[in-house]
Amino acid sequence: MKVCRTIAEYRAEIATFRAASESVGVVTTMGALHAGHMALVERAKSGNDRVVTTIFVNPTQFGQAADLEKYPRPEAQDLEMFRSAGVDAVLIPSVEEMYPRGDETIVETTRLAHVLHGLVRPGHFRGVATVVTKLFNIAQPDRAYFGEKDYQQLAVIRRMVRDLHMPLEIVGVPTVRESDGLAMSSRNIRLSPEHRKEAVVLNQCLDHAETLMGTASTVAGLKADVQEMVQGRTSGKLMAFDVVDPESFEPVEGPLNRPIAIMMSVEFGEGEDAVLLIDQREIVP
Ligand code: PAF
């Protein structure tokens, strides 16, 4: 596996694959790899001749400097994981190269970035869309792989690729879960043992939604149940429980009798130690 610290090195490596007419899949990450990332790599390997990855903790998608500073950066371990998974090349660029001095270009989905999680984290999806565009321009892959756990992120990227006619396919990969159902995330290691136990509530709420689908229950009833579950079973704070149309992302009200997507987030802990966990599920009656 070629470890590239500059864009030029990475491009030169990918050019050798292209010269041999090999297809290229990319997995973009911020490092702190876990089984969820490795599922993306596995999927990329099955659909392409070559798999390239990126590790870049993107400053423009973090709201608070403290969150950015605290983001784990276990580089040696990450490289070992990519190496043993058979990744061909990884780019670990500097912030200075990714965001050249005096840069002024951003990419933003004007509506999707400003609803749901975008309301809680202003500027987040602009940062994601901008860095992902840069990484696509750098790697010029045939396919790019993203986890379905980050449901709104996946929707933003799909919309951006469609709107800007970017010549690649976006592949969504199902969420990988711990044995108790908690969605794998680089943030999980920041949970205290007590919060880690409580965090299973996200998956329990989504399971509950699934059991109500097609019954006489309504979205309002489901929301009340979820509030009670989070409050009654955990010390966490329900930050969002949005029930939306999977295509338009418009809020859904009334009976639970049509396809919906649920996006929820719960915050555990206080102040600088707070950890925001997200999860999602698409449910078809
Ligand atoms: O999902 C992530 O890890 C990041 O948001 C991404 C897509 C690598 C952009 O920095």
Side-chain angles (χ1 to χ4, degrees):
M1 179 177 76
K2 174 100 174 160
V3 179
C4 309
R5 305 259 169 202
T6 66
I7 294 170
E9 274 178 280
Y10 190 60
R11 280 191 162 147
E13 190 65 11
I14 293 172
T16 65
F17 308 149
R18 292 294 184 201
S21 300
E22 291 172 322
S23 61
V24 176
V26 73
V27 177
T28 59
T29 80
M30 299 206 297
L33 303 178
H34 50 68
H37 295 108
M38 303 328 285
L40 302 182
V41 170
E42 272 314 302
R43 187 71 188 276
K45 276 178 73 81
S46 67
N48 301 276
D49 300 315
R50 298 286 185 167
V51 176
V52 299
T53 59
T54 63
I55 299 176
F56 180 63
V57 182
N58 174 35
T60 64
Q61 69 187 76
F62 285 82
Q64 290 168 358
D67 210 15
L68 171 63
E69 272 161 37
K70 284 214 189 98
Y71 203 84
R73 291 168 170 83
E75 189 186 290
Q77 186 184 310
D78 288 346
L79 289 179
E80 197 36 54
M81 286 173 78
F82 275 154
R83 200 171 279 122
S84 37
V87 167
D88 293 289
V90 54
L91 173 67
I92 312 178
S94 65
V95 174
E96 292 70 28
E97 192 176 18
M98 286 298 283
Y99 291 98
R101 186 190 288 265
D103 72 323
E104 52 179 288
T105 308
I106 55 167
V107 182
E108 186 162 47
T109 53
T110 52
R111 188 184 63 88
L112 266 184
H114 299 283
V115 296
L116 307 168
H117 290 313
L119 290 173
V120 189
R121 306 173 74 186
H124 171 74
F125 290 115
R126 182 194 308 136
V128 170
T130 301
V131 80
V132 168
T133 299
K134 287 171 187 269
L135 294 169
F136 286 171
N137 284 340
I138 292 165
Q140 302 189 4
D142 297 289
R143 291 170 202 88
Y145 296 79
F146 294 91
E148 288 175 354
K149 179 174 84 69
D150 296 310
Y151 190 75
Q152 192 171 356
Q153 168 172 285
L154 180 57
V156 164
I157 292 169
R158 283 193 197 283
R159 193 65 51 95
M160 170 187 96
V161 164
R162 188 203 68 175
D163 292 354
L164 298 182
H165 309 285
M166 294 182 177
L168 80 161
E169 183 192 345
I170 301 299
V171 182
V173 178
T175 306
V176 180
R177 296 180 181 277
E178 305 278 0
S179 55
D180 65 358
L182 175 64
M184 291 209 180
S185 161
S186 309
R187 290 167 190 260
N188 293 353
I189 51 170
R190 288 184 48 215
L191 292 166
S192 69
E194 194 172 312
H195 292 151
R196 168 64 191 82
K197 276 192 212 137
E198 293 177 355
V200 71
V201 78
L202 284 97
N203 191 46
Q204 288 171 344
C205 291
L206 297 173
D207 283 348
H208 180 62
E210 208 151 335
T211 63
L212 294 188
M213 190 49 110
T215 68
S217 305
T218 60
V219 171
L222 169 62
K223 285 186 176 175
D225 289 355
V226 163
Q227 183 70 54
E228 205 175 290
M229 286 169 79
V230 174
Q231 248 171 22
R233 298 179 190 184
T234 78
S235 57
K237 188 167 156 209
L238 182 64
M239 303 298 284
F241 187 85
D242 298 299
V243 182
V244 299
D245 179 277
E247 283 297 314
S248 68
F249 273 61
E250 293 296 336
V252 169
E253 303 292 345
L256 286 164
N257 60 3
R258 49 176 285 191
I260 54 167
I262 298 176
M263 299 162 59
M264 73 177 293
S265 56
V266 177
E267 188 172 77
F268 292 93
E270 301 279 321
E272 290 209 340
D273 293 328
V275 182
L276 183 75
L277 297 185
I278 68 171
D279 206 346
Q280 65 79 31
R281 194 166 302 177
E282 254 185 62
I283 309 176
V284 179

